[in-house]
Structure formats: C-alpha cells, structure tokens
C-alpha cells in the first residue's frame, strides 16, 4: 500500500528526452504510465519528486501533463543519477521516506543510476518496469535484470498500485 513513507521519484519526464526513440515503449506510453503513478500517489497523499535534467542551455522542458505544481518536490540535476550534486537525499530524509518508487527515463542511465544510488543509501527501491524505457529493449531488460539482482524490486504499474 502506498503511504507517506513511499516517495515517487520521476526521472527526467522531459519532452526532449521522451521524443527520442525509446524501447520497449515510446515516450507517450511512459508518460501515460507515469501519470497513473503520480495520480495514485496524490490520492494516497504520498510525496512525489520530479527530477529534471538541466541542459547546458538552461532548458528543462518537463512534459506538460507532468509539470510540477501539485506540491511536488523538484530536483534539478546535471549528472546521471538524481542524487549526485542535488539535495534529493536530504529531501527524502526530511520527508521521512523509507522507500522510493522510480519511473521515467532512461532505464539504463537516469532511472538505473538513481535506483542504484538509492539502494546504496539504504532506501527500499522499486523500479516500475512499464513506466520506463531505454535506447533498446535489450538495454532496458539488462538494466532491470541487474537492478533486480542487486536488490531492487522490479514491478509493473499495476503491481505497484495493488500494494
């Protein structure tokens, strides 16, 4: 069951990234899945963190349906994972988070790096397999397999929502 101790971390829900060729699902399917997750977290009064990747030109174009503004925490990163060089770990500890549910793009980079770092920091970590995508099906599946082997729960949107 979702609770205030569970935090949804949305990694790079940005139009320019979601417009890239992604697999096994495209950017619009990732957005649809992420919107379902965010809505469920909102209903449960569980926190949501939106992680934006800031380009060198200052662009951070979060997709319109996921624009921050519903009380979400916003973290701006410049590296691969959402923790390095950001205040995410202190935000999560201030919230009282025990577990993080991670979705967004890309499975191999932003999502995978954030999941690995969250696990190393002692959080219970879930990656939502059908709310993330990567450059190829093989890259997506290999990353999910590695994360699962390391102790990350890999669940679908429906499985997360059923908890």
């Amino acid at each position: 069951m979702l609770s205030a101790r569970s935090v949804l971390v949305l990694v790079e829900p940005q139009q320019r990234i979601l417009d890239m060729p992604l697999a096994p699902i495209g950017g619009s399917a990732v957005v649809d899945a992420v919107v379902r997750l965010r809505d469920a977290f909102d209903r449960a009064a569980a926190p949501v963190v939106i992680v934006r990747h800031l380009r060198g030109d200052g662009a951070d174009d979060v997709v319109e349906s996921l624009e921050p503004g519903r009380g979400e925490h916003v973290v701006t990163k410049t590296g691969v994972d959402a923790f390095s060089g950001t205040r995410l770990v202190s935000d999560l500890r201030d919230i009282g988070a025990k577990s993080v549910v991670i979705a967004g793009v890309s499975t191999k980079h932003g999502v995978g790096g954030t999941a690995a770092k969250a696990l190393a920091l002692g959080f219970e970590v879930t990656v939502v397999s059908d709310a993330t995508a990567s450059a190829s099906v093989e890259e997506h599946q290999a990353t999910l397999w590695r994360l699962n082997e390391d102790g990350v729960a890999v669940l679908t949107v429906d499985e997360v929502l059923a908890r």
Side-chain angles (χ1 to χ4, degrees):
M1 186 82 147
L2 300 179
S3 74
R5 299 192 81 123
S6 300
V7 177
L8 178 61
V9 177
L10 304 178
V11 179
E12 300 176 32
Q14 295 170 262
Q15 196 63 56
R16 67 183 163 78
I17 297 169
L18 293 162
D19 285 343
M20 296 174 13
L22 297 170
I25 60 175
S28 63
V30 171
V31 170
D32 291 345
V34 167
V35 167
R36 284 182 63 208
L37 288 166
R38 186 185 69 183
D39 289 348
F41 272 72
D42 284 348
R43 284 190 302 276
V48 175
V49 175
I50 296 177
V51 179
R52 303 178 301 189
H53 185 269
L54 187 62
R55 284 193 331 199
D57 65 4
D60 67 354
D61 53 343
V62 172
V63 74
E64 187 176 335
S65 60
L66 294 169
E67 274 289 330
R70 301 163 95 183
E72 291 94 350
H73 296 261
V74 178
V75 172
T76 301
K77 71 182 189 85
T78 56
V80 175
D81 73 80
F83 289 97
S84 298
T86 74
R87 66 179 198 282
L88 181 56
V89 71
S90 62
D91 284 356
L92 293 175
R93 292 199 170 124
D94 289 347
I95 293 168
K98 295 295 179 196
S99 67
V100 293
V101 176
I102 303 171
V105 287
S106 86
T107 314
K108 181 178 181 182
H109 300 289
V111 170
T114 299
K117 185 76 169 214
L119 192 64
L121 290 166
F123 294 99
E124 294 174 23
V125 182
T126 300
V127 169
V128 187
S129 61
D130 57 349
T132 186
S134 210
S136 70
V137 171
E138 296 79 16
E139 182 178 277
H140 174 78
Q141 291 174 338
T143 302
L144 293 177
W145 180 85
R146 187 193 84 249
L147 289 169
N148 188 250
E149 286 293 305
D150 290 344
V152 171
V154 177
L155 302 174
T156 65
V157 171
D158 289 338
E159 291 169 332
V160 169
L161 298 182
R163 293 179 132 194

